Amino acid sequence: MKGIAFVAACVLAGGCGPKAVITAGPTRALPPHREIVLDSGPKAPRRMVPPEVFLRAYLTWFGGLSPGATLLRAREGDLFDQWTDYLAALGLPDHHFDVPRAMQSNTVMLAAIGRLGEALCIRSVELELRANTPIASRVIFAFEATPQPTRAQFAAGFDVLHRTFLGYPAGLGPPQRLERFFELHQKVVANHAAGQRLTPDEMAWAAVCTALVQHPETGLY
Amino acid sequence: MSRRLALLLVCLVLGRAAEAQRPLADYRYFRALSIDLNGRPPTRAELADLERPDFDIAAWIDNHLSGRGYVERVTRIYTDLLRLELPDSSISFAPRSILLRWTSILGPDGRPIDLYFRNGQRRAQPAIDGQVCFTAAEIGIQVPSDGASIGTPKAVTRKLLEARTVVVRPWWLYADYARPLPRDRASAAWVQRFGYELVWSMFTEPDGRTPMTGVRVCREEAQTAETGRVFATGYVAKKADPLLPGRLTRLPSDTPFAVANAGSSVSCSLAVAFESSHECGCGPGLERCLPSGPNGFVSPWHAPLGKDATFFAAARPAILWLRAWWSEEATKFIEQIFAGDQDVRLLLTSPATRVNGPLAQFYRFFANTTCCGAGTELGYTRPVPLFDPAAVPTTLAPFEVSTWATVENRGEHAAGILTMPIFLLKYGSQRQRAHAIYKAFMCREFVAETVKLEPSTEPDLTKRTGCATCHRRLEPMAAYFARVVESGWTYLPPTTFPLSSPRCTARDRAQMSPACATFYDPDFTDERSTMLRGAYGAPAHADAGPRGFAAEVSSSPDFAPCVVRNVAQSFLGRPLTSDDERWRQELSRAFVTGGYRIRALVQAIVTSRQYREANDVMTEAR
């Protein structure tokens, strides 16, 4: 009871005090601020590159050959099966049977792209790097491929491939991309046994090329 | 020297600076444009162009809004919506009057000969009328209308062989087949020359080695006259009639047409001529017929980049080879409208089309042979075509696959894709046809109410409980197709098929003649009137025909917003939402005031903020 009386006395004493006054201080500019534009536009996942576009690009990467000629060139060494094995997997519609265009990727599609990428890259290594085709005539590996390249030498070649498949300079990609691909190249060189169809360096470039063909950014836009 | 070196250095530095990189967003935008307007990702050289300071992206877009990549891109929107392809097994288009069967007989030297003939071919001799041109006594075998021959073949005499058959150099083997002695024989080079390919190992004589240089055909089939004389035998087949000795079928009866027109002249391109004249054959080089074998006509099957860049082609019978071009007609027609930046409404309303050699042959000689079936009993013997054969260019030979010509006016009933065989077969029923267009060009769908369906005897679906929700709208639209037979392209003219036919009225609908019941709906028939099938939803629409439907759809307020929606969704790769509504309305207004041209619409889309920022690019891949 004594405690309550004491609290009440304090409250009364405070409430009866003089008015609190806030005096104006010196004016000061607001700190600089950053404007953020709110993008309210509808968004969706990135579009899939239409399979027709992928196929046309693929034929272009194979040197502008017809589908039949591409098949003949790619098939050697069991790198390629038949076009019919890949067309539906790539997501093409089949209007004969009302099969619609695939609007989302799936594992079969990715496997098909991987297989096509391997065929393209290994054959291109053979036809361009191994055959020492003049750089101006190369479609894929249009750079001087030095054996066991330094990081700088690798970066120059990687930029060519990056532009070919992803459509922009490698320098504009995520910071670690170059390092990761350089590491891939080095690992393949280190682990690929000599005396096979491709040298370790050739196989390493084929692996980098295949990884870029399969890269999500190649199949999206 | 040092000044020159300095100048060179300056140039190098400036040159390097001139090719400075752009922001990542610019590259991504350019790649998207290249994919959408050029049909492929940009090459390194094109990226180098982009990096030049004077690169003009607006000019680049302008230049690519008429190229092949752009045309393919926008065409694909509508081919995906309409899906105008048919599986092999879907439609059996094989009229007897155009199909040359073959069978093997023994020649005078005892070696086999391939003999071509038509099932049902009229011949003057009763013993072989309607059958192969030899009796069983003459060749040792009987040839049924389908299946293998019966009996043991025996050598035909030279005299009989020459009397009954003739060797013809046919259209599928000779470019100059119409000449008296054709010499320009097909070869592997024809792939480049005409886009026409045969599997040569299949076009051999029966020994399997000697190249086929001509085909032996029954003499009646080899006739080339344009017209023939109708003949009537006075014979009417009855079920109880015994077969004549040596025959597998009864003698063909006189048709009502033959009885009514005996002695008069008839065009050999009509089905009634095949049935009632023995003077009508397959024409010069057999151009009015298709061989049932060999199955060696190479047809494109998977051709996502166009028929001239086929990924998979298969050897097939001529009849299926021909059908492959039906869908290509629609594709070429759509492409032409987009390539020429014509009014998009022409997709539905245009009387024009595009044909190549096989299609020209089809429309000149084959299309009208499906007419008129049971219609002949109602007096319909000379078809009123959806595609007037006289409008077909006569300069296109059947094997000229890669040559396409524009036909400006197919005829008074033609209406864009609506009257093309591929559309009429893909969407066989009147309701299917209406629904396909309603969905693709008005972006509307039929959604049923959640009502309980109850048993009903109400034949009018616009009134029947539960059905009316959709059919109130669907039946009047389907009525526009009432004058085009289902799963076919035969047109039913009002003169022969009035909306209500006095000759088909019946107190008891079970008493309707089969011919009447084929074309008139028993559910809407009584002793005073009857109703053309499919027309009851809106009888006036039946007479307006597909052209009327095209006019209704293309003048609908839903048409332009639907085109905008389809094109925008395709380019953005996502459905338009209510947030896009204002933009869609702006595009629609511009589309209409611009004369319904797709090019300006696509330009507005690809330069819009929505296109540039359509997709979430925040998640970076490694």
Side-chain angles (χ1 to χ4, degrees):
Chain A
M1 189 62 191
K2 273 181 165 179
I4 294 172
F6 177 72
V7 170
C10 288
V11 169
L12 284 171
C16 298
K19 287 182 181 175
V21 176
I22 300 174
T23 53
T27 57
R28 196 175 50 182
L30 289 169
H33 62 281
R34 191 163 57 94
E35 285 188 3
I36 298 174
V37 178
L38 181 64
D39 180 1
S40 60
K43 293 290 184 289
R46 296 178 70 184
R47 293 159 284 198
M48 266 181 48
V49 170
E52 290 88 347
V53 170
F54 178 81
L55 287 169
R56 183 170 287 110
Y58 192 78
L59 299 181
T60 308
W61 295 331
F62 247 109
L65 299 177
S66 69
T70 301
L71 171 69
L72 290 177
R73 177 171 286 189
R75 200 158 52 181
E76 189 190 333
D78 284 339
L79 288 176
F80 198 98
D81 301 304
Q82 297 284 341
W83 277 117
T84 45
D85 296 327
Y86 303 118
L87 293 179
L90 289 175
L92 281 168
D94 189 344
H95 298 315
H96 298 98
F97 305 105
D98 290 342
V99 177
R101 177 179 300 278
M103 300 304 286
Q104 293 182 347
S105 62
N106 54 60
T107 49
V108 176
M109 182 188 293
L110 298 180
I113 291 173
R115 175 83 167 150
L116 290 168
E118 281 174 12
L120 168 73
C121 294
I122 291 177
R123 195 62 75 230
S124 297
V125 163
E126 291 172 352
L127 294 171
E128 296 183 353
L129 293 184
R130 167 161 294 188
N132 211 15
T133 303
I135 289 177
S137 306
R138 296 182 189 178
V139 181
I140 304 293
F141 298 102
F143 54 86
E144 199 62 60
T146 313
Q148 301 201 8
T150 63
R151 185 184 176 284
Q153 288 167 331
F154 174 81
F158 181 66
D159 185 63
V160 171
L161 296 178
H162 199 277
R163 284 170 172 262
T164 303
F165 297 116
L166 272 62
Y168 63 92
L172 293 179
Q176 294 306 310
R177 182 174 287 169
L178 176 62
E179 302 307 328
R180 299 178 72 87
F181 275 84
F182 185 45
E183 190 185 337
L184 168 68
H185 188 281
Q186 289 179 311
K187 276 187 180 170
V188 175
V189 169
N191 293 309
H192 186 73
Q196 297 191 49
R197 185 178 174 130
L198 298 181
T199 67
D201 268 305
E202 289 169 345
M203 195 64 218
W205 278 115
V208 171
C209 166
T210 303
L212 285 171
V213 173
Q214 293 178 282
H215 196 280
E217 284 189 28
T218 305
L220 300 172
Y221 76 112
Chain B
M1 183 66 188
S2 61
R3 284 175 64 188
R4 281 188 181 177
L5 192 61
L7 187 63
L8 184 63
L9 280 171
V10 168
C11 289
L12 280 172
V13 169
L14 287 176
R16 188 66 194 158
E19 293 180 2
Q21 288 179 358
R22 288 168 169 264
L24 178 58
D26 284 4
Y27 287 96
R28 285 198 161 144
Y29 179 49
F30 184 62
R31 183 166 181 263
L33 287 173
S34 185
I35 286 170
D36 278 335
L37 303 184
N38 209 17
R40 57 167 174 73
T43 62
R44 292 190 299 271
E46 288 164 343
L47 290 176
D49 285 343
L50 171 72
E51 288 164 349
R52 293 182 198 284
D54 60 346
F55 183 78
D56 184 347
I57 193 79
W60 190 95
I61 292 171
D62 270 348
N63 288 338
H64 286 80
L65 279 172
S66 55
R68 184 171 173 176
Y70 157 77
V71 173
E72 279 182 12
R73 178 72 176 82
V74 285
T75 299
R76 214 157 54 223
I77 297 170
Y78 281 93
T79 51
D80 277 1
L81 282 170
L82 294 166
R83 310 188 310 275
L84 295 176
E85 302 258 14
L86 290 169
D88 281 354
S89 57
S90 65
I91 300 292
S92 143
F93 168 72
R96 290 193 312 169
S97 61
I98 68 167
L99 205 59
L100 274 171
R101 283 189 61 198
W102 65 272
T103 191
S104 188
I105 64 171
L106 289 186
D109 56 2
R111 288 192 288 192
I113 295 174
D114 285 339
L115 175 67
Y116 285 79
F117 68 101
R118 291 191 288 190
N119 269 338
Q121 172 72 49
R122 301 307 304 269
R123 307 185 200 281
Q125 287 180 255
I128 52 175
D129 190 9
Q131 298 192 157
V132 71
C133 51
F134 293 103
T135 63
E138 291 162 345
I139 56 174
I141 55 172
Q142 290 180 303
V143 184
S145 55
D146 58 8
S149 300
I150 302 164
T152 304
K154 72 174 190 181
V156 65
T157 64
R158 169 74 56 193
K159 185 179 175 186
L160 199 57
L161 185 69
E162 298 303 331
R164 299 268 179 85
T165 67
V166 59
V167 173
V168 176
R169 295 191 165 187
W171 64 262
W172 62 89
L173 288 178
Y174 288 88
D176 52 349
Y177 66 84
R179 292 189 174 186
L181 189 59
R183 295 183 187 282
D184 188 0
R185 188 169 178 272
S187 66
W190 277 28
V191 178
Q192 295 298 322
R193 191 173 160 197
F194 299 118
Y196 174 81
E197 188 177 1
L198 297 175
V199 177
W200 285 105
S201 59
M202 300 174 86
F203 287 85
T204 58
E205 295 299 331
D207 62 11
R209 295 186 306 273
T210 311
M212 185 187 288
T213 54
V215 291
R216 188 167 286 277
V217 190
C218 289
R219 198 165 278 278
E220 288 86 351
E221 281 85 336
Q223 296 174 106
T224 59
E226 295 279 330
T227 59
R229 194 165 38 83
V230 176
F231 81 111
T233 59
Y235 176 71
V236 178
K238 299 184 192 71
K239 282 186 179 175
D241 288 349
L243 291 176
L244 290 180
R247 286 187 62 96
L248 284 173
T249 58
R250 292 189 175 80
L251 277 173
S253 292
D254 285 340
T255 61
F257 175 82
V259 173
N261 297 280
S264 62
S265 179
V266 63
S267 167
C268 286
S269 60
L270 300 180
V272 286
F274 171 72
E275 293 165 354
S276 53
S277 174
H278 52 70
E279 294 174 357
C280 282
C282 288
L286 307 175
E287 66 177 351
R288 294 199 290 259
C289 292
L290 290 169
S292 65
N295 300 344
F297 291 78
V298 178
S299 306
W301 186 254
H302 284 300
L305 304 184
K307 295 280 195 267
D308 51 351
T310 301
F311 283 76
F312 177 69
R316 305 160 86 203
I319 200 91
L320 295 181
W321 170 81
L322 174 75
R323 278 174 37 175
W325 304 109
W326 292 348
S327 58
E328 192 66 0
E329 178 190 7
T331 304
K332 292 281 181 190
F333 169 74
I334 297 170
E335 278 181 353
Q336 186 179 37
I337 286 177
F338 292 141
D341 199 27
Q342 298 174 37
D343 188 328
V344 175
R345 291 173 295 184
L346 290 173
L347 289 173
L348 303 178
T349 62
S350 173
T353 191
R354 303 265 291 156
V355 293
N356 64 353
L359 286 167
Q361 182 189 32
F362 170 74
Y363 285 120
R364 285 178 73 197
F365 304 124
F366 303 155
N368 286 326
T369 58
T370 57
C371 183
C372 305
T376 55
E377 293 177 35
L378 301 179
Y380 192 37
T381 53
R382 290 182 169 79
V384 176
L386 289 175
F387 193 140
D388 182 359
V392 181
T394 55
T395 51
L396 278 174
F399 45 77
E400 290 187 277
V401 164
S402 51
T403 304
W404 288 84
T406 298
V407 176
E408 294 296 346
N409 190 350
R410 282 174 281 168
E412 60 176 315
H413 304 295
I417 56 168
L418 303 187
T419 54
M420 288 182 185
I422 188 67
F423 176 79
L424 296 169
L425 295 180
K426 178 81 180 189
Y427 303 103
S429 74
Q430 293 147 359
R431 292 184 186 120
Q432 278 183 309
R433 293 165 185 173
H435 175 232
I437 297 301
Y438 185 65
K439 191 174 174 185
F441 290 93
M442 295 172 79
C443 296
R444 306 280 294 270
E445 188 51 285
F446 293 106
V447 181
E449 289 173 347
T450 51
V451 292
K452 186 179 178 187
L453 291 176
E454 292 174 352
S456 170
T457 55
E458 172 58 64
D460 186 340
L461 298 185
T462 65
K463 296 176 182 165
R464 191 187 292 178
T465 310
C467 300
T469 316
C470 300
H471 286 268
R472 197 178 295 126
R473 182 79 185 94
L474 179 57
E475 298 302 286
M477 291 197 300
Y480 283 114
F481 290 98
R483 294 205 172 278
V484 184
V485 297
E486 295 198 328
S487 297
W489 48 79
T490 300
Y491 181 74
L492 306 175
T495 47
T496 315
F497 300 93
L499 286 170
S500 175
S501 172
R503 65 189 292 184
C504 288
T505 56
R507 176 171 303 201
D508 178 1
R509 61 190 186 183
Q511 297 302 313
M512 285 178 81
S513 72
C516 281
T518 300
F519 298 102
Y520 289 92
D521 195 334
D523 281 333
F524 294 90
T525 296
D526 57 27
E527 66 272 28
R528 283 171 298 158
S529 67
T530 185
M531 179 59 73
L532 192 67
R533 279 186 179 273
Y536 80 90
H541 287 182
D543 287 341
R547 291 187 73 127
F549 188 45
E552 181 184 315
V553 172
S554 60
S555 61
S556 155
D558 291 333
F559 181 80
C562 181
V563 173
V564 168
R565 191 177 101 167
N566 285 332
V567 176
Q569 289 187 161
S570 176
F571 276 83
L572 297 186
R574 64 169 175 82
L576 294 189
T577 68
S578 54
D579 289 334
D580 300 300
E581 191 52 33
R582 193 169 154 193
W583 181 54
R584 186 169 82 142
Q585 286 174 2
E586 286 168 11
L587 289 174
S588 298
R589 270 194 297 274
F591 178 59
V592 171
T593 54
Y596 294 83
R597 316 281 160 167
I598 284 280
R599 192 173 294 165
L601 173 63
V602 171
Q603 187 169 34
I605 290 169
V606 299
T607 53
S608 69
R609 182 181 62 83
Q610 285 82 351
Y611 180 80
R612 277 174 167 265
E613 301 170 2
N615 308 103
D616 182 10
V617 294
M618 297 301 286
T619 309
E620 296 290 350
R622 294 185 302 176

